[in-house]
Amino acid sequence: MKTEELFNAIRQEAERQRNEFVESPAPKIHIGMATCGIASGAVETRHAFEQALAERHIEARIHTVGCIGHCYAEPVVIIDHPESGFPPIFYHEVTAGKAKMLTKLFLEGGDPRFEHVYGATVENEMIPSVMEFPRFNEEKRVIMEKCGHIDPEDIYDYIAEDGYATLVRAFQLTPEDVVKEVADSGLRGRGGAGFPTGRKWDMARRGGSGEKIVICNADEGDPGAYMDRTLLESNPHQMIEGMILCAYAVGAHRALVYVRAEYPLAVKLVTKAIQQAESLELLGKDILRSGFDLKIEVFQGSGAFVCGEETALIESIEGKRGMPRFRPPYPVEKGLHGQPTVINNVKTLASVPPILKNGADWYRRIGTEKSPGTAIFSVVGDVVHPGLVEIPMGVSLRTLIFDICGGVPNKKAFKSVQIGGPSGGCLPSAFLDTPIDFDSLTQAGAMMGSGGMVVMDEDTCMVDVSRYFIDFTQKESCGKCTFCRIGTPHMLRILDRITQGEGREGDLEQLEQLSRDIKEGSLCGLGKTAPNPVITSLRYFREEYEAHVNEKRCPGKMCRPLTAFYIDLEKCARGCDACVGCCPVDAIFTTSTRKKGIDQSLCVKCGECVVACPPQYDAVEKVSPPKLAPVVERSAK
Amino acid sequence: MDDAILAEEEAMLEDMRSRVSGFEKERGNLIPILQMIQGRHAYLPPEAMDLAAEHLNIPVCEVYGVATFYNQFRFHPPGRHPIKVCLGTACHVKAGDIILENFERKLGITDGETTPDKEFSIERVACVGCCALAPVAVISETVHGKMAPSKVEGLLLRIQIEKEKAERERESGKREGEK
Ligand SMILES: Cc1cc2nc3c(=O)[nH]c(=O)nc-3n(C[C@H](O)[C@H](O)[C@H](O)COP(=O)(O)O)c2cc1C
Ligand code: FES
């Protein structure tokens, strides 16, 4: 009872602040300020708003929020101007200039500038709502529900949205009840492997002697995924609430957030969130007089992909090289300093508060039977609308890539999608109807992994992409297992050779053999999955490998030693110097006819001249193999 | 001049010594100690390794073993404008390597090196978390999205111009002072 009363006081304060904000007649400007927003100029945008508001003596409230996931539209601004009679409006790509213009014309003049409007955030009669876009209505937000709506630096903003209320209610349940609810929900770990979270917690609750520890894995080593970081930057409290629930369920009094040191903003915001929770007694000794203690610390990971693996992560916290240990014993039996340790991914922990709030049955109704709930993907590469997308499990790849993310731009054809980062695989278009869930993806040869998803169009070389991933894993291999340590660089050497046009007969068979051996001879998931990108691309795109080896031709025209640029003299315009000026190595010369030619011995194949050549001429061509490029003499007629 | 450098080094050592002694003598503090030193001095000089080993009572080679294992730690001072070129998956597919090459060519150094005047250093990194803006480069703390080879020159030029401007202002300030 006491706990609830104490919490109600906090909640009333949160609601008071919220009401004061909502009911104030002043317009509200919500600006997305996570890393991607800042990279697109959100700081300048905010500055421009502040300046313009001051100059015009307009009273308005600026509310900095996290990332809504619409990275293609950054900087994203939502303007709520009740007096104008319009609903809250979503604006995209709001540069500093646009911010000044909107201040003047909309906030002062009441004209929302329809040509810049993306949509209204609620249904209404005046402006089409963003909910009509598939990007908004196909998504189902459980983990990211509050991202982009609340200020990550203000705990009251989270509490006003019902934050921490679930925790307070859970204190009335026994820890066993909490474990049972999570187990019943069917939640599976979002760190990649999909291990049932309830089962993990149950083992930790019963097993092991010694003080228990909870670790949140926010290492996020996949070089193409950034959702964990975005969650921490946009709504750190949901993860913290999940951590407290986990600690309460398993009986731990110490917890660590393992977050990359390369994510300075995430480190800062998580640290601040923990301090705020402590100051409201939602963390620390005797949390709101419930009798439960928990201390959360932040440990900064030093950037090694393998440290995302749970036993390597433990080694690194102990101050050693991050080399995986043999399992069993599993961390839930003997983890950090030999104590039972529960390790969960950020998304797993952030799923727990909504599950306990709405119940296991509610969660089970989202997604598929074997993989309930939602998945977050960072869809990037050749798509019209890249960004973070949260969808129910079971949605097909086609819906995700074509409907939600807008498909492949520039009228190019879809070629392949890489799922799961360095451990995952490349799937061709034949697999577009595969439902997205743990088991279907694994069956297809890819894997859920980190949730990184890179879409590639017809101009991508699958051999080069495989080479890229092997290059990554061979660098990140910790060196413990011979096959992983020596096998991956060997695969890289072969792939290097193939992409440079020096592939030999038997290379492909050797790659296959090495892939099998590395998978079998490695201890941890890094080695066991490192060959996946090569295996899948060899299975689905073998003809591309063969073109490289046999014809010295790169069908995607990406491998630079196998391609060449030339200028089509028929199309080239006399007197235009666009390409000459842009070439970084001065490889373009003017022929005696004042048309242009490329000196192949100097050309570094950066492709700048393709961009520079005015579209009405479109004279630069790219070919593979290079011998297809006609020779242009400096004195050509 | 030499005296100034020596004094600077001495101050750096003193700073490291006093801060390292504030850590508890636990092996688990090794990485936090190294992170603290790099956070303050931008790299790990050999003295830092000795200090950490001595404080935690472990062999220096262990400290090197740990420090070299992780990507975060560097053993040479970076330039005043460290350049990080992203070669994460999205940036790779969008030709991040060409951006890297352009920086290397323009500055005459390769990945991992610092220019002789200590102005610039180049480093390749894996995903800075703005894949939607690929290819990406980070100069000092500023993220530059949608990079193109032709933007490289412009960015470097801008830094150069700003530096010259600052120098001119300093010069004229000095002259004012002399008057
Ligand atoms: C090479 C490798 C890298 C991994 N990287 C991560 C990571 O970055 N983040 C993560 O949460 N899990 C990662 N994992 C999975 C973890 O070992 C572990 O399964 C996970 O943190 C458990 O949390 P979950 O049950 O919530 O998924 C990685 C595994 C391997 C083998
Ligand atoms: S791959 Fe370059 S920012 Fe993610």
Side-chain angles (χ1 to χ4, degrees), chain A residues 223-224, chain B residues 86-91 127-131 134 136:
Chain B
C86 178
L87 289 179
T89 318
C91 291
C127 196
V128 294
C130 315
C131 314
V136 173

Side-chain angles (χ1 to χ4, degrees), chain A residues 63-327:
Chain A
H63 187 218
T64 50
V65 295
C67 171
I68 326 196
H70 295 251
C71 305
Y72 61 91
E74 297 282 3
V76 169
V77 172
I78 294 174
I79 301 184
D80 181 7
H81 185 12
E83 268 179 17
S84 70
F86 288 102
I89 299 174
F90 185 116
Y91 291 94
H92 63 301
E93 292 170 49
V94 183
T95 53
K98 228 179 191 177
K100 287 201 177 123
M101 183 271 292
L102 286 172
T103 311
K104 180 173 163 209
L105 299 177
F106 185 31
L107 294 177
E108 196 172 54
D111 171 6
R113 305 309 294 171
F114 286 101
E115 70 274 30
H116 295 292
V117 168
Y118 197 73
T121 58
V122 291
E123 295 294 340
N124 69 95
E125 315 224 300
M126 280 174 280
I127 299 177
S129 148
V130 288
M131 294 312 289
E132 286 165 28
F133 296 113
R135 177 67 186 233
F136 289 80
N137 64 29
E138 295 271 355
E139 274 197 71
K140 165 82 193 165
R141 295 203 162 184
V142 172
I143 303 170
M144 286 177 55
E145 190 197 350
K146 300 183 178 71
C147 290
H149 299 291
I150 61 172
D151 182 348
E153 299 195 53
D154 183 0
I155 187 169
Y156 284 120
D157 230 15
Y158 179 64
I159 295 174
E161 298 253 348
D162 225 16
Y164 289 107
T166 310
L167 173 71
V168 171
R169 245 175 282 128
F171 281 146
Q172 316 255 310
L173 306 173
T174 61
E176 286 80 5
D177 287 339
V178 176
V179 174
K180 183 166 182 308
E181 194 72 20
V182 172
D184 288 346
S185 74
L187 173 65
R188 294 173 67 172
R190 294 314 197 238
F195 189 81
T197 306
R199 184 133 43 100
K200 191 184 272 184
W201 290 15
D202 191 43
M203 290 195 290
R205 154 121 223 106
R206 291 160 197 268
S209 56
E211 194 200 331
K212 291 170 188 156
I213 299 168
V214 172
I215 297 178
C216 170
N217 186 346
D219 189 50
E220 194 156 73
D222 172 357
Y226 57 102
M227 59 283 281
D228 290 357
R229 154 201 206 137
T230 304
L231 283 172
L232 297 182
E233 286 176 358
S234 305
N235 184 5
H237 287 289
Q238 189 164 334
M239 179 276 290
I240 293 175
E241 188 178 359
M243 269 181 107
I244 307 176
L245 286 164
C246 172
Y248 177 69
V250 304
H253 301 295
R254 190 174 159 218
L256 284 167
V257 185
Y258 188 98
V259 50
R260 302 209 128 200
E262 280 115 324
Y263 285 2
L265 186 59
V267 172
K268 182 181 135 208
L269 293 183
V270 172
T271 312
K272 184 160 182 188
I274 293 173
Q275 283 163 355
Q276 286 181 342
E278 279 170 352
S279 69
L280 293 182
E281 290 184 38
L282 288 161
L283 270 178
K285 278 234 166 298
D286 194 8
I287 295 176
L288 296 178
R289 310 228 188 122
S290 63
F292 180 69
D293 307 335
L294 180 67
K295 182 165 174 48
I296 302 186
E297 291 160 274
V298 174
F299 187 92
Q300 297 189 30
S302 292
F305 175 58
V306 70
C307 285
E309 201 279 337
E310 48 191 21
T311 57
L313 181 146
I314 290 172
E315 292 278 309
S316 89
I317 299 178
E318 290 177 357
K320 303 182 205 144
R321 292 163 70 97
M323 292 168 120
R325 298 177 187 166
F326 187 76
R327 298 181 305 179

Side-chain angles (χ1 to χ4, degrees), chain B residues 38-96:
Chain B
Q38 179 157 312
R40 296 185 57 80
H41 303 290
Y43 77 108
L44 297 175
E47 293 81 5
M49 314 300 247
D50 296 342
L51 267 175
E54 203 178 305
H55 185 71
L56 299 176
N57 203 12
I58 49 176
V60 185
C61 66
E62 280 260 347
V63 177
Y64 273 97
V66 170
T68 52
F69 185 86
Y70 295 98
N71 296 328
Q72 186 193 2
F73 298 117
R74 47 182 309 145
F75 307 96
H76 302 285
R80 272 179 282 273
H81 304 281
I83 296 169
K84 295 182 191 150
V85 182
C86 178
L87 289 179
T89 318
C91 291
H92 172 80
V93 174
K94 300 236 171 185

Side-chain angles (χ1 to χ4, degrees), chain A residues 480-533:
Chain A
K480 185 164 183 155
C481 310
T482 317
F483 281 91
C484 180
R485 182 181 66 240
I486 300 176
T488 47
H490 195 60
M491 284 179 83
L492 176 66
R493 272 197 299 279
I494 298 177
L495 287 164
D496 267 341
R497 207 156 66 206
I498 296 178
T499 51
Q500 282 161 10
E502 287 155 22
R504 311 175 195 148
E505 205 180 315
D507 272 353
L508 304 191
E509 290 70 25
Q510 204 178 356
L511 280 176
E512 282 168 334
Q513 181 67 41
L514 278 165
S515 297
R516 277 195 295 274
D517 295 343
I518 294 170
K519 264 174 159 320
E520 268 172 33
S522 301
L523 174 64
C524 85
L526 189 145
K528 279 192 200 309
T529 56
N532 280 356

Side-chain angles (χ1 to χ4, degrees), chain A residues 11 21 40 123 176 195 236 264 271 301 310 322 350 353 411 419 453 460 463 469 476 485 493-494 536 549:
Chain A
R11 192 166 163 150
F21 178 76
S40 315
E123 295 294 340
E176 286 80 5
F195 189 81
T271 312
E310 48 191 21
K411 301 206 180 99
I419 310 172
M453 187 177 279
T460 315
V463 186
F469 282 115
E476 294 293 334
R485 182 181 66 240
R493 272 197 299 279
I494 298 177
T536 48
V549 176

Side-chain angles (χ1 to χ4, degrees), chain A residues 325-569:
Chain A
R325 298 177 187 166
F326 187 76
R327 298 181 305 179
Y330 287 91
V332 286
E333 302 156 87
K334 256 182 181 333
L336 186 60
H337 304 299
Q339 295 156 308
T341 307
V342 177
I343 301 180
N344 275 127
N345 175 261
V346 181
K347 287 157 285 186
T348 317
L349 291 169
S351 302
V352 174
I355 290 176
L356 288 177
K357 178 180 171 198
N358 302 307
D361 290 336
W362 166 82
Y363 194 70
R364 275 216 171 268
R365 281 197 294 274
I366 308 169
T368 66
E369 196 196 328
K370 293 237 174 72
S371 308
T374 57
I376 305 183
F377 285 99
S378 53
V379 187
V380 296
D382 298 315
V383 278
V384 176
H385 293 153
L388 291 183
V389 190
E390 182 170 359
I391 45 162
M393 293 271 191
V395 165
S396 73
L397 284 168
R398 189 185 300 282
T399 310
L400 175 56
I401 297 169
F402 287 89
D403 297 344
I404 302 181
C405 293
V408 179
N410 307 328
K411 301 206 180 99
K412 295 222 172 120
F414 169 88
K415 181 180 220 168
S416 156
V417 53
Q418 209 285 342
I419 310 172
S423 321
C426 301
L427 299 182
S429 54
F431 283 82
L432 276 175
D433 292 311
T434 311
I436 298 173
D437 63 61
F438 287 106
D439 310 305
S440 312
L441 287 182
T442 310
Q443 224 166 33
M447 119 178 201
M448 197 73 146
S450 50
M453 187 177 279
V454 186
V455 178
M456 293 174 262
D457 69 15
E458 54 189 317
D459 289 343
T460 315
C461 171
M462 301 317 295
V463 186
D464 179 71
V465 171
S466 308
R467 194 202 65 86
Y468 167 78
F469 282 115
I470 288 291
D471 185 27
F472 179 80
T473 36
Q474 63 93 20
K475 277 203 200 88
E476 294 293 334
S477 167
C478 77
K480 185 164 183 155
C481 310
T482 317
F483 281 91
C484 180
R485 182 181 66 240
I486 300 176
T488 47
H490 195 60
M491 284 179 83
L492 176 66
R493 272 197 299 279
I494 298 177
L495 287 164
D496 267 341
R497 207 156 66 206
I498 296 178
T499 51
Q500 282 161 10
E502 287 155 22
R504 311 175 195 148
E505 205 180 315
D507 272 353
L508 304 191
E509 290 70 25
Q510 204 178 356
L511 280 176
E512 282 168 334
Q513 181 67 41
L514 278 165
S515 297
R516 277 195 295 274
D517 295 343
I518 294 170
K519 264 174 159 320
E520 268 172 33
S522 301
L523 174 64
C524 85
L526 189 145
K528 279 192 200 309
T529 56
N532 280 356
V534 178
I535 296 175
T536 48
S537 57
L538 263 173
R539 187 185 309 156
Y540 301 127
F541 300 96
R542 198 179 181 93
E543 68 288 351
E544 274 193 39
Y545 281 85
E546 284 165 354
H548 280 77
V549 176
N550 302 337
E551 302 165 42
K552 313 292 175 225
R553 175 173 70 88
C554 174
K557 296 183 197 156
M558 228 176 125
C559 298
R560 281 190 274 161
L562 298 185
T563 52
F565 288 88
Y566 74 93
I567 294 170
D568 187 342
L569 292 178

Side-chain angles (χ1 to χ4, degrees), chain B residues 96-113:
Chain B
D97 53 337
I98 292 181
I99 306 297
L100 176 66
E101 259 177 35
N102 263 278
F103 275 113
E104 290 179 339
R105 194 162 42 235
K106 280 275 162 322
L107 296 172
I109 52 174
T110 55
D111 160 34
E113 294 181 340

